[in-house]
């Protein structure tokens, strides 16, 4: 038998008083771990989004607020498709490509899916009025829509290019492109027929996984989606690929002037808002953490004081049998240490699970455990538990051993 | 063994001064078995605390084998208690959430005896007090007499030279009282020095001599033969 056994045995035999303190510590660590975890991954995703974005300017109905670039067309608000024509005809300098989108919910094989209508580039070419527009012959869909690194035109001709360039050359009226997740769910391959809105569609491509919300979508011709869903000639968003320099300069005011009834947002703005939200979350998580740890500290201190009072006679006996003040102090600080470690581990596990569960549903991001948070959680929980138990432990060590005789 | 010289212990509570020990001088030789008797509040427990190194008296000198007990540091006194003094209490003072065996192991744990040795010795001692079949019971699962026997076994854990007992039979019925006293007598016969506080004449008769405390002043009673 050692000090360690004494501590474990006491906690094991009388766990209830420690439970509230343990829960408080666990909650504090859990809040921190969950929020930090989500924030860190969300930041990671913004960074990778920045790299993979095909469009860098969005034109949306005015009442829409935008948090997530990939959900830019999921707000349900619409504006006339005619805006696309207006933008195309305006021939604004710096505009490389226009990609209008309309999203509707539908079911395939009794599964809910998001069907996104897109306009292939040959539609623009059909309209003679648009012939000769720079955007149709220029390189489009380069990495960030920046003119400095134009992509080759060949890449645009396969349906799979949609995944990277967000545009496509041709798309028939009853043709369908599937995101990787939805393809897997429906067990659909190229050449398979799927029934949407009572019409048979032919799957012409399955996109490679991108790690974005696009993976769970289906893409069809904009006009088919408009007709079949009964939405009429409207779109949710117009994605514009513009030269970075232009997007940063006059283009936004030019676009706003051209389409005063819309909201024009640059990706930079979207990213900024999201980064700001993340920063706020991150700071808030520390506030939560601090508050919960304070609550935990108060709870631990009061439970420890009660524990010392309750165990007066036991402590006196130990002292009579030769326990030093150091031993008695360790007895209580050891218990605090146990509490901190258990709270830290429990909080990390609970927080990580929470983040893994909430990450995808709240923010659409995949989250995995972050070891550094484990370290932070366990260290701070232990420090708080020890600090809160310091005075009770000292009181225990300062007890008069003579009380063993009197406290009959 | 013990040499007390004009030891006084006074408490001041709300302006009242209580002389728990009043200029008390006392010698307790090695292998003595002495009963401290006296009315309630006469300072018996105070004397025992002083002998146990747990209460530094207001004045006077307490020597154990020629060493001033209260010249030692708190830590040194704790270690001395652990190695050389065993305690028996009226209320047994077993740790309620430990088994009989673990309770007996406590003094050995405090002096860092290896685990295996702790267990073996604890079992041996419990066997000596007739509790070989109760080693894994917790105090609440034991009778009063059995609890006191566990406490007696615990007293012997580190094989102390001195045993200090405060009303060791106070909570026991006549039958178990006798049993406990026979163990204490055995411990005395092993060569230990025993100082025992008691109210009970019968219990005191197990001792070699009795000292009566009246208002903190000790007074030797007529020697009895070691029953
Ligand atoms: N911590 C203390 N503070 C104040 N007075 C005390 C304290 N401890 C003991 N006393 C007083 O000292 C006197 C002697 O007390 P002590 O406990 O030694 O008596 P006792 O002989 O053991 O009595 P009993 O037979 O009732 O146990 C009593 O008057 C008691 O009130
Ligand atoms: Mg007393």
């Amino acid at each position: 038998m050692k000090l360690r056994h004494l501590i474990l045995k006491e906690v094991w035999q009388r766990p209830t008083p420690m439970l509230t303190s343990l829960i408080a510590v666990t909650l504090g660590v859990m809040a921190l771990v969950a929020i930090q975890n989500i924030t860190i991954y969300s930041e990671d995703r913004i960074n990778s989004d920045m790299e993979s974005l095909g469009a860098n300017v969005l034109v949306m109905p005015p009442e829409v607020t935008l948090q997530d670039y990939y959900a830019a067309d999921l707000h349900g608000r619409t504006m006339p498709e005619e805006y696309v024509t207006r933008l195309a005809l305006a021939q604004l300098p710096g505009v490389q490509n226009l990609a209008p989108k309309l999203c509707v919910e539908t079911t395939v094989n009794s599964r809910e899916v998001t069907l996104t209508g897109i306009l292939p580039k040959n539609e623009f070419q059909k309209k003679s009025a648009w012939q000769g527009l720079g955007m149709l012959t220029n390189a489009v869909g380069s990495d960030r829509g920046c003119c400095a690194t134009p992509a080759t035109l060949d890449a645009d001709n396969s349906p799979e290019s949609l995944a990277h360039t967000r545009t496509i050359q041709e798309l028939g009226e009853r043709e369908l492109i599937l995101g990787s997740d939805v393809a897997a769910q429906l067990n659909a391959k190229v050449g398979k027929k799927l029934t949407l809105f009572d019409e048979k569609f032919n799957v012409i491509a399955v996109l490679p996984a991108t790690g974005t919300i696009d993976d769970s979508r289906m893409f069809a011709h904009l006009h088919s989606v408009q007709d079949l869903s009964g939405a009429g000639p409207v779109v949710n968003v117009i994605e514009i690929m513009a030269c970075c320099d232009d997007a940063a300069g006059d283009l936004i005011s030019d676009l706003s002037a051209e389409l005063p009834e819309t909201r024009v947002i640059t990706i930079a703005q979207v990213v900024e808002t999201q980064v700001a939200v993340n920063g706020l979350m991150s700071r808030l998580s520390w506030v939560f953490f601090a508050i919960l740890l304070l609550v935990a500290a108060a709870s631990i201190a009061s439970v420890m004081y009660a524990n010392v009072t309750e165990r007066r006679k036991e402590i006196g006996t130990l002292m009579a049998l030769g326990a030093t003040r150091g031993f008695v102090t360790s007895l209580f600080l050891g218990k605090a240490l146990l509490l901190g470690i258990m709270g830290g581990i429990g909080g990390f596990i609970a927080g990580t699970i929470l983040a893994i569960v909430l990450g995808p549903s709240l923010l659409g991001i995949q989250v995995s455990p972050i070891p550094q948070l484990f370290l932070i959680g366990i260290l701070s929980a232990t420090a708080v538990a020890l600090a809160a138990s310091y005075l009770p432990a000292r009181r225990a060590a300062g007890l008069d051993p003579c009380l063993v005789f009197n406290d009959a | 063994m013990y040499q007390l010289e004009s030891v006084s212990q006074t408490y001041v509570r709300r302006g009242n001064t209580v002389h728990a020990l009043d200029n008390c001088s006392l010698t307790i030789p090695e292998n003595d078995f002495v009963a401290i008797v006296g009315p309630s509040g006469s300072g018996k427990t105070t004397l025992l605390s002083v002998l146990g190194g747990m209460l530094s008296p207001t004045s006077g000198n307490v020597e154990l084998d020629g060493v001033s007990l209260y010249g030692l540091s708190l830590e040194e006194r704790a270690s001395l208690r652990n190695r050389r003094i065993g305690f028996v209490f009226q209320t047994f003072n077993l740790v309620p959430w430990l088994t009989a065996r673990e309770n007996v192991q406590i003094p050995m744990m405090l002096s860092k005896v290896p685990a295996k040795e702790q267990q073996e010795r604890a079992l041996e001692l419990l066997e000596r007090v007739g509790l070989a079949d109760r080693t894994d019971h917790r105090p609440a699962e034991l009778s009063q007499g059995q609890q006191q026997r566990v406490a007696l076994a615990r007293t012997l854990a580190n094989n102390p030279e001195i045993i200090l007992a405060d009303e060791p039979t106070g909570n026991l019925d006549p039958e178990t009282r006798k049993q406990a006293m026979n163990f204490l007598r055995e411990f005395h016969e092993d060569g230990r020095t025993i100082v025992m506080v008691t109210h009970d004449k019968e219990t005191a008769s197990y001792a070699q001599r009795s000292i009566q405390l009246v208002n903190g002043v000790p007074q030797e009673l007529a020697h009895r033969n070691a029953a």
Side-chain angles (χ1 to χ4, degrees), chain A residues 406, chain B residues 11 13 18 20 38-47 166-167 199:
Chain A
N406 300 324
Chain B
Y11 294 105
R13 285 287 183 280
V18 177
S40 183
S42 58
K44 303 185 295 293
T45 299
T46 306
L47 177 61
D166 194 5
E167 305 272 7
H199 268 118

Side-chain angles (χ1 to χ4, degrees), chain A residues 11-191:
Chain A
V11 173
W12 179 249
Q13 298 283 335
R14 300 186 292 194
T16 5
M18 293 324 266
L19 225 54
T20 43
S21 308
L22 183 63
I23 289 172
V25 179
T26 308
L27 283 181
V29 176
M30 183 173 110
L32 176 85
V33 170
I35 301 178
Q36 286 290 323
N37 201 330
I38 289 183
T39 313
I40 288 169
Y41 273 91
S42 152
E43 248 152 47
D44 279 1
R45 208 198 68 172
I46 294 171
N47 289 339
S48 67
D49 280 1
M50 283 289 281
E51 274 156 31
S52 66
L53 285 180
N56 49 16
V57 180
L58 301 172
V59 176
M60 301 191 298
E63 53 295 355
V64 175
T65 56
L66 183 68
Q67 294 284 315
D68 183 353
Y69 169 79
Y70 279 95
D73 47 358
L74 283 177
H75 44 72
R77 314 264 184 176
T78 56
M79 53 192 180
E81 190 194 342
E82 178 237 333
Y83 289 179
V84 183
T85 324
R86 259 158 73 183
L87 281 181
L89 289 175
Q91 298 206 33
L92 297 173
V95 172
Q96 283 188 291
N97 205 340
L98 299 174
K101 284 186 171 176
L102 174 67
C103 280
V104 297
E105 298 294 325
T106 183
T107 51
V108 180
N109 298 346
S110 64
R111 237 176 228 285
E112 292 273 326
V113 291
T114 304
L115 177 64
T116 302
I118 54 175
L119 203 56
K121 283 199 277 183
N122 63 354
E123 287 290 333
F124 289 92
Q125 285 155 350
K126 271 191 214 157
K127 310 201 175 180
S128 56
W130 297 359
Q131 294 286 354
L133 288 188
M135 61 179 185
L136 300 176
T137 48
N138 280 355
V140 289
S142 56
D143 264 0
R144 288 199 201 175
C146 286
C147 306
T149 51
T152 55
L153 268 172
D154 314 345
D156 296 340
N157 290 331
S158 74
E160 284 79 8
S161 68
L162 182 64
H164 304 293
T165 66
R166 306 181 71 73
T167 59
I168 186 167
Q169 185 63 32
E170 286 176 29
L171 188 60
E173 279 205 347
R174 291 295 176 262
E175 286 179 343
L176 207 54
I177 298 175
L178 303 184
S180 62
D181 289 351
V182 77
Q185 276 164 17
L186 295 170
N187 197 16
K189 294 197 181 65
V190 173

Side-chain angles (χ1 to χ4, degrees), chain A residues 24 27-28 31 284-298 384:
Chain A
L27 283 181
L284 268 181
S285 81
W286 288 106
V287 173
F288 278 143
F289 185 53
I291 292 173
L292 283 166
L293 282 190
L294 272 181
V295 172
V384 165

